[in-house]
Amino acid sequence: MGRHFEVRAASMQKTANAKAKLYSRFGKEILVAAKAGVPDPEMNMPLKKVIERAKANQVPADVIKRAIEKAKGGSTENYSSATYEGFGSGGGATVIIDCLTDNANRTIADLRACFNKSHAKLGVAGSVSFNYEHVGLIVIKYNDEEAMMDALIMGEVDLKDIEVDEDMMTITVEPTDLNKAKDAIEELIPDVEFDVLETTMLPNEYITLEGEDLKLFQRLVTLLDDVDDVQQVYHNVQNINDLVE
């Protein structure tokens, strides 16, 4: 029972940490969008789009409200976006890190520490991203490809691909069309629930790591996720979630 409780507690803590990271990520995005214009989603289209994505990702209303109120209150927090690229210890393992930071020197120092502890290496701009594709990604429970394609075409969405696997549909579109795709899908399926609704970087090719290389890459991704300034981590390791003793 003791071991079972420990595993369950660890799983619950991992879920709580993932939610906290998600809420923090969207809180920053909403604050940045609100400060860049009027802190009213009806008068600020970028803010409205971020809020819609936040809601689709089950971000609580009070998290959204706090970020907007912070912007209204003249918050002195000013974030700028920065993207970093690097290589894992295994041959071919790559990573891209999107950040929102108010202190670039602190951010790069924190990232270097993550890479050093994982025997990984930071690269220069463009050293990794050339092998990734920037897309809008949607995952929902739905299996009618023809109906979905028709709905997206009618919605003037630049569709890249649709795949269905065991009733789960994965849709990739041009990143600038993500919200148009969301609107078209909601018109087709009024009660739709989005498992994924985000812009992301997809690698052109995935690799598989083994042994120590996999452990070190898992460590790198975990450490990066723990950095406050990190918004998103993208990589090309297919078996990242494999358990390694």
Side-chain angles (χ1 to χ4, degrees), residues 75 78 83 116 129 178 198:
S75 169
N78 288 301
T83 299
N116 289 340
S129 55
L178 183 62
E198 64 183 14

Side-chain angles (χ1 to χ4, degrees), residues 15 27 67 83 89 92 106 128 132 143 150 201 203 207 236-237 241-243:
T15 300
T83 299
S89 63
R106 180 195 64 229
V128 167
Y132 284 69
N143 60 15
D150 288 344
M201 299 289 286
I207 69 164
N236 67 338
V237 178
N241 293 319
D242 284 4
L243 293 177

Side-chain angles (χ1 to χ4, degrees), residues 137-199:
L137 179 66
I138 299 169
V139 179
I140 57 173
K141 188 172 184 179
Y142 192 66
N143 60 15
D144 191 335
E145 287 187 51
E146 189 173 339
M148 179 59 68
M149 191 174 297
D150 288 344
L152 294 173
I153 290 172
M154 289 295 292
E156 298 183 345
V157 174
D158 190 345
L159 175 65
K160 288 179 172 289
D161 192 27
I162 295 179
E163 290 183 4
V164 176
D165 184 18
E166 296 183 357
D167 286 338
M168 295 303 295
M169 180 175 286
T170 299
I171 304 161
T172 52
V173 301
E174 279 294 325
T176 51
D177 281 0
L178 183 62
N179 283 281
K180 282 203 296 186
K182 174 181 176 292
D183 292 343
I185 291 169
E186 287 177 333
E187 186 170 338
L188 175 66
I189 318 165
D191 58 347
V192 65
E193 290 188 7
F194 294 93
D195 282 39
V196 177
L197 178 70
E198 64 183 14
T199 57

Side-chain angles (χ1 to χ4, degrees), residues 105-115 223-224 227-229:
N105 290 332
R106 180 195 64 229
T107 301
I108 191 64
D110 289 345
L111 296 185
R112 276 208 179 94
C114 297
F115 276 81
L223 289 172
L224 290 172
V227 175
D228 288 340
D229 297 333

Side-chain angles (χ1 to χ4, degrees), residues 23 39 54 66 68 70 72 76-77 105 124-125 128 139 152 168 172 201 209 224 232 234 244:
Y23 299 166
R66 276 200 305 270
I68 294 175
K70 188 183 286 188
K72 287 180 179 178
T76 57
E77 293 179 51
N105 290 332
V124 298
V128 167
V139 179
L152 294 173
M168 295 303 295
T172 52
M201 299 289 286
L209 294 179
L224 290 172
Q232 290 278 23
Y234 314 108
V244 178

